[in-house]
Amino acid sequence: MTRPDNRAVDQLRQITFTPNVAPHATGSVLVSFGDTRVICACTVEEDVPRWMKHQKVKGGWLTAEYNMLPYSTLDRKQRDITRGKIDGRSSEIQRLIGRSIRAVVDLKLLGPRTLWIDCDVLQADGGTRTASITGGCIAAAIAINKLMAAGKLKTTPLKQLVAAVSAGVYQGTPVLDLNYPEDKDASVDFNVVMTEDLNFVELQGSGEEATFSPEEMMGMLELSKKGVQEIVQLQKAAISAADKPDTDALTDLAAAFGQK
Amino acid sequence: MTRPDNRAVDQLRQITFTPNVAPHATGSVLVSFGDTRVICACTVEEDVPRWMKHQKVKGGWLTAEYNMLPYSTLDRKQRDITRGKIDGRSSEIQRLIGRSIRAVVDLKLLGPRTLWIDCDVLQADGGTRTASITGGCIAAAIAINKLMAAGKLKTTPLKQLVAAVSAGVYQGTPVLDLNYPEDKDASVDFNVVMTEDLNFVELQGSGEEATFSPEEMMGMLELSKKGVQEIVQLQKAAISAADKPDTDALTDLAAAFGQK
Amino acid sequence: MTRPDNRAVDQLRQITFTPNVAPHATGSVLVSFGDTRVICACTVEEDVPRWMKHQKVKGGWLTAEYNMLPYSTLDRKQRDITRGKIDGRSSEIQRLIGRSIRAVVDLKLLGPRTLWIDCDVLQADGGTRTASITGGCIAAAIAINKLMAAGKLKTTPLKQLVAAVSAGVYQGTPVLDLNYPEDKDASVDFNVVMTEDLNFVELQGSGEEATFSPEEMMGMLELSKKGVQEIVQLQKAAISAADKPDTDALTDLAAAFGQK
Amino acid sequence: MTRPDNRAVDQLRQITFTPNVAPHATGSVLVSFGDTRVICACTVEEDVPRWMKHQKVKGGWLTAEYNMLPYSTLDRKQRDITRGKIDGRSSEIQRLIGRSIRAVVDLKLLGPRTLWIDCDVLQADGGTRTASITGGCIAAAIAINKLMAAGKLKTTPLKQLVAAVSAGVYQGTPVLDLNYPEDKDASVDFNVVMTEDLNFVELQGSGEEATFSPEEMMGMLELSKKGVQEIVQLQKAAISAADKPDTDALTDLAAAFGQK
Amino acid sequence: MTRPDNRAVDQLRQITFTPNVAPHATGSVLVSFGDTRVICACTVEEDVPRWMKHQKVKGGWLTAEYNMLPYSTLDRKQRDITRGKIDGRSSEIQRLIGRSIRAVVDLKLLGPRTLWIDCDVLQADGGTRTASITGGCIAAAIAINKLMAAGKLKTTPLKQLVAAVSAGVYQGTPVLDLNYPEDKDASVDFNVVMTEDLNFVELQGSGEEATFSPEEMMGMLELSKKGVQEIVQLQKAAISAADKPDTDALTDLAAAFGQK
Amino acid sequence: MTRPDNRAVDQLRQITFTPNVAPHATGSVLVSFGDTRVICACTVEEDVPRWMKHQKVKGGWLTAEYNMLPYSTLDRKQRDITRGKIDGRSSEIQRLIGRSIRAVVDLKLLGPRTLWIDCDVLQADGGTRTASITGGCIAAAIAINKLMAAGKLKTTPLKQLVAAVSAGVYQGTPVLDLNYPEDKDASVDFNVVMTEDLNFVELQGSGEEATFSPEEMMGMLELSKKGVQEIVQLQKAAISAADKPDTDALTDLAAAFGQK
């Protein structure tokens, strides 16, 4: 079995993070997993949702919105507002992103504010949901660092990082981080969200039109664990770089957009 | 650790299936997992969705809708149409139900028709999505048997049965088939959809506000497998009973509603 | 003239009421008028609508929602939320149900709470709106009895019972309580809502595509009056039974579902 | 008992019909019942609804839309599109208008076209639904006359006229044609739609918050019959006038608007 | 070049204003520019929008809604609520009407109330947006005069009048106040909103499918200025007449509707 | 008078165009006018809108959608789909973008296909609509060049370029290309769309809360003309660069994002 882009079965695509692409957001990053590109932004609102006030829940909230830009797919994707309703798949993904990042944020420590995580897909080539979680965590980390630097937070509410990766069974073999051509042919769609201390946050495996065996599942879990470990290292470097002066930003950004 | 209702960690709640509760549907069943009750119905439409015609996809389709009736919860749940949009959680669950049952249906063999699986929750006490998948499969089986009996199908498109069950970590211990009081306190929400030959169809584990370890995950998988095996036996009995004369239906139905 | 099911012109279909089908509601009942089955539930919300607070109206409120489940008709009926708007006919019927039951409830005595009457049609065979009013009144009565038993109400706000029945002109003769085959062929659709002291609450006669004479109207009124008198006796028995221990519930329920 | 505007119990308000207020419609009329003013227009579309084509129903269709202009009430009424959904009451009224006028139109004779009856309330002072039916029938008659004159119809599909009027019990006495101050205090809202040969088309009596006796009902029916007879004479004059040269139109129009 | 209705290039259509057509509004007027007729109403709400309270903005607000009645066009125009969304063009026009009239109203002096300007097009023959602004200003002036007369305002917030007119290039020549046949053939759609002291409030020129030269632009501006000057005189007369006894209203109204 | 960023009154902000930011679109460009950044993409659909088929209009179509990303403003902007309706201002702007670019495209020559121009604002600092038109024209030009290169078009349907710029009166002086701090204080919002041969396509001047004199208008027109001339030169360079190999793209892109 050879993968379409000749990667090893346990090899991630090239991953880059370009911070501050949306300067009006408190934190933002352009994430690339190969040809998949997602703009992730974290905006701070100094208020909490109505239900929290109503139920007198203490602390803050974090919520996510996921959206595919119309030109992110090979055939233009109609905007939700034109269709008149939110895409079922998008709704499901944004709930997943929100749950995943909330698992590593201490909402009590966050105080009475809301972190909005916006993920807009610029180019879709497989793995947009895992790229969104991975990038959303970076955007949140940058935003929280700014709140710390501004003295609005004393203790960081970010307990640890969270990252996500996909796996699947391609031509009978479990492989890591599927791109679109692999995804289309794979018999399983497997997404794993893990913390940097390698516990699970979310685990979703689906074999639409097909099933998968316990052995295949174990293989995909193993690959995912390896992938998450590598991604977490890249996240840490990106968060650290975002706080430094901007001198290298140009090169990073160029690298992110340049591989076309 | 003692479970609120004194069940063993690997013990299912009492499960009953009362067929034909909605006589205008082609197949229907009232499913109970303890105090969780769902009306599952399968209606046959002799047409396929527009996208199948447009893309010239052969065969049929199966789609699901999931809905909580307003009086199914302890506080009345507003209807979707009153809120003006479908509930995000419902949308996610109905996509899951559809994918799960499609995994065991040969859509080519089904011919140019659509099976609508409707799941309306009459009473919610934990595990409504797994009860819906389990009952939806029964409703589909009954409907397909009617199509066979009417000569509209020569070969059954139902390849095997599919069943679903939940598991979770309750007070530090993995347990099977959580009811609502357990679910509220559990640190993980784990749903497993498996075929009768014990392959996976869907696997969803989520530790909102928390994480779970690889060991906990393995424990929950083991329990789920045991649970699915038992449920499949009950499904087979119910499908077989639905095709027999109605003499026992009264007793079954009374049993289903009687445990209040 | 012979009616399709051989009933006398002034004969009701078999009517049964099975209480407590939706145990999370404060009061609930499964109503059958022949093959028409409706789940009626009454849920208590300890709050009043915004407009009452705004206009400083004292007392409580009662509102109804009516919905046909997708599998209640011979051809599957699309859900309102899928169509994106509430069905005009449903909207009209739920306004009628609300007005009818409010006519016998002293909203001042109810106190600052809302009674939600939900009517979900499980099987439609003519007369779903009259079955809903009749059953909605029972569900409200059961709920109010529970509020009384719990000491939340000192005096019952239910002044008397309300019941509803349909009539029509079938093959030139006024007949009582039309089922679907009769309804389709009848030239008038006549619905009467009366109190147990035999005053009118609502009177709706419509001769779509046709007209009806004053004599036909008087005949249908006479039949309706007789029907309401009989129904009220059955309502009283059902409300009384719902408050007794559950020993006979199994048999009642079986009888309700059993006539398939 | 004295009525607020000193009318006799069986006396209609001043009724006027000003034809051709909306010249782009095929037929139009400004209806006044006292201070209630409604613009009724009939537009012809040379097509039938999709469901008629789909079900291969022969002939034409007639449908109505009812709308209160925002400045028709003493407090501004928000537009439906701003609220995002059609007003339940409006939806019910427009279904009533449609059914009422269809009862006197032979849809087969109409041929494959749709008559749209639009009723926009300019000023609401009680009885807008009965004014709409009465005026909608005139607009339809004018439009049908134009189709006849243009040779598009050989035989008129308008079998006879239809008119509507309200009645109620005001301070214990049945009275005819309630204005808003009476309507607010009346214990019953009674609307009668009759043909010119004095058969019933629709009959709607509602005693919200109250009930009404059989004797009161008979009294209101008697008044309504008298009212309809008088209104039909005025309708005939208006339809006839609309076909004559416009010389008197100015005076009619001035009279219609002038009583302020 | 001859204009279809033989007007001079700088000649307005016959313009009439009939006040008080919607007596429940605080101010109202039926505007005619030739065969274009718009009902303009101003309703006073003793409250301000939520955003003003939230942002603690002092004073009042003025907002406009524009709507084409279904029978205003030669082919029936579907209502917005039936389509489920507001017409893009209508939304743009109502924003323009609101901005234009706010430019001459001192919102601080208006006090904490909202002026709603409703413009419903009864007949569309070109220039409905300019007729709406022109008539909306009259309706606002009448309403403000009533507030002054009632002692609710001490100083008028209406600083001066605002009027609007269209121009275009028809068969190569700039012309004033296009009717529909001219509008359809014109290569530019030019709308000018000016105050009575001849400053600009809004200027919108659009050459869909085409472009226009600086010289043509100057020609249209010159015509528009002349048109606005004439219209302002007519507005003043109408506002003044609306405050006088109604003796001449009949004649005015008849004249407005009479030219069919 | 000194401008906040010390520009001369007739000086544009730094303008950059980075092509191919959304590689799945047929043509795309990231436009920056100072700190305003818009992603403009042109996607080709090999089909035309339903109304063109219905009305048998020959040729193709071009339509635009404009959207502010939630993190483009200093306070997070709610997505349209969350609010449930399209933003009135966005709707107006996307109609303007569509009209403007259609003015320079020969739709007949385009053939039976649709060009979708999507403009998503990444960062808003004044002038997003003019940046969108300017960038949308570049995206369209790149896409049309690709259609030409692929042999799908023989003659280019792009007749000439179109560009847009804003002007305003800031502290009493007409100035060119306002950024957000100027825009907030300016008394006029003036947008000019011109072709490269310096004819007008659209002209929109609005003095919300204020008016502007004929002299100020002439001043703003003069500035706009100068601005458009300079912008057209930059557009030409960008279109030409987009067709060359990608060697310089990295630097361009870095420059575009780098000025933060």
Side-chain angles (χ1 to χ4, degrees), chain F residues 10-211:
Chain F
D10 66 348
Q11 190 182 345
L12 294 166
R13 290 178 282 179
Q14 183 174 352
I15 294 172
T16 60
F17 301 113
T18 312
N20 301 329
V21 289
H24 281 170
T26 317
S28 68
V29 67
L30 175 68
V31 182
S32 310
F33 273 59
D35 283 344
T36 287
R37 296 174 185 189
V38 186
I39 302 167
C40 299
C42 176
T43 322
V44 181
E45 184 188 13
E46 294 290 334
D47 199 2
V48 292
R50 200 174 305 185
W51 64 263
M52 288 185 70
K53 294 177 191 167
H54 193 69
Q55 300 176 21
K56 297 189 202 301
V57 177
K58 294 282 181 194
W61 189 243
L62 181 149
T63 191
E65 298 200 348
Y66 169 94
N67 175 49
M68 295 187 78
L69 291 165
Y71 35 80
S72 62
T73 48
L74 287 170
D75 289 325
R76 185 175 182 278
K77 184 173 186 300
Q78 204 180 21
R79 289 176 199 263
D80 283 351
I81 190 64
T82 310
R83 296 168 61 237
K85 57 179 175 183
I86 198 168
D87 187 72
R89 176 183 163 274
S90 294
S91 164
E92 186 172 330
I93 291 177
Q94 68 193 20
R95 288 162 48 86
L96 170 64
I97 300 169
R99 283 198 309 271
S100 296
I101 306 183
R102 278 196 301 275
V104 294
V105 171
D106 184 324
L107 296 173
K108 291 267 180 355
L109 278 180
L110 180 59
R113 50 175 65 92
T114 299
L115 299 187
W116 289 87
I117 306 296
D118 283 289
C119 302
D120 287 274
V121 179
L122 189 57
Q123 192 177 0
D125 188 51
T128 61
R129 86 186 65 192
T130 48
S132 296
I133 293 167
T134 301
C137 177
I138 294 178
I142 296 173
I144 285 171
N145 283 348
K146 285 207 189 146
L147 291 173
M148 298 282 291
K152 294 189 179 174
L153 286 173
K154 294 246 165 75
T155 316
T156 180
L158 191 66
K159 296 179 281 187
Q160 57 176 323
L161 296 184
V162 66
V165 77
S166 76
V169 176
Y170 180 71
Q171 298 188 351
T173 309
V175 297
L176 181 64
D177 188 22
L178 285 69
N179 62 16
Y180 183 68
E182 291 175 319
D183 191 44
K184 227 175 34 180
D185 282 353
S187 56
V188 193
D189 185 16
F190 210 84
N191 293 287
V192 178
V193 186
M194 295 184 88
T195 53
E196 59 175 299
D197 67 5
L198 297 179
N199 277 310
F200 289 101
V201 173
E202 294 269 341
L203 182 63
Q204 296 190 337
S206 169
E208 172 138 357
E209 318 290 319
T211 59

Side-chain angles (χ1 to χ4, degrees), chain A residues 92 95 200 202-203 205-206, chain B residues 92 95 202-203 205-206 212:
Chain A
E92 186 171 330
R95 288 162 50 84
F200 289 101
E202 294 270 341
L203 181 63
S206 169
Chain B
E92 187 170 330
R95 289 161 49 85
E202 294 270 341
L203 182 64
S206 169
F212 54 101

